[in-house]
Amino acid sequence: MPRASGRGHRRLPHTADVRIEAWAPTRQECVAEAVAALVDTFVDPGGARPGARREFHAPAGDDDADLLVGVLDEVIFRMETAGELPLHTDVADDGAGGLRVRWRTADTDAVELVGAVPKAVSLHGLRFGPDGAGWSCAVTLDV
């Protein structure tokens, strides 16, 4: 995975769905990059202005992958039910193994659609954990 900046994400070719990878020095930053990667797969947020502030708590699960899936599922849920997407994401450890996520959001009608909208996070091929340079993840999104 490219590590020139220490933090980033990319979209990978996939036959039917969308596959993303994200990497960062810490677990929390990697989750924030994964959120950005998810949003970048289907919208161009360039012209949108950050609006409402939202928070989400992902409690500790069986493993770190559960936390990642929980946060990404929440992004999809909020898009479908509240019509909002995160433009900026900050993630912090909650001190008990979970994550506290803070978003600056934009209305979905304020962004340009550029790809297929994700419907769910697939558990097939899910990877999230420490690697030699920090943390990385790979996620398939059902579209």
Side-chain angles (χ1 to χ4, degrees), residues 37-136:
L38 180 148
V39 172
D40 287 352
T41 66
F42 69 101
V43 298
D44 177 4
R49 296 179 54 135
R53 295 178 191 271
R54 303 286 186 238
E55 290 192 18
F56 174 68
H57 179 247
D62 292 335
D63 59 26
D64 288 317
D66 291 341
L67 290 171
L68 177 64
V69 170
V71 171
L72 296 178
D73 278 344
E74 183 68 13
V75 171
I76 293 168
F77 174 77
R78 287 176 188 242
M79 176 194 61
E80 292 175 349
T81 62
E84 61 187 23
L85 288 170
L87 294 181
H88 302 290
T89 303
D90 292 312
V91 182
D93 191 301
D94 71 356
L99 298 173
R100 181 109 19 232
V101 183
R102 292 180 179 89
W103 286 300
R104 291 291 307 268
T105 64
D107 291 337
T108 54
D109 58 1
V111 296
E112 180 183 350
L113 189 65
V114 296
V117 178
K119 300 296 181 202
V121 177
S122 172
L123 300 181
H124 178 73
L126 176 67
R127 179 180 48 78
F128 180 50
D131 64 21
W135 283 70
S136 66

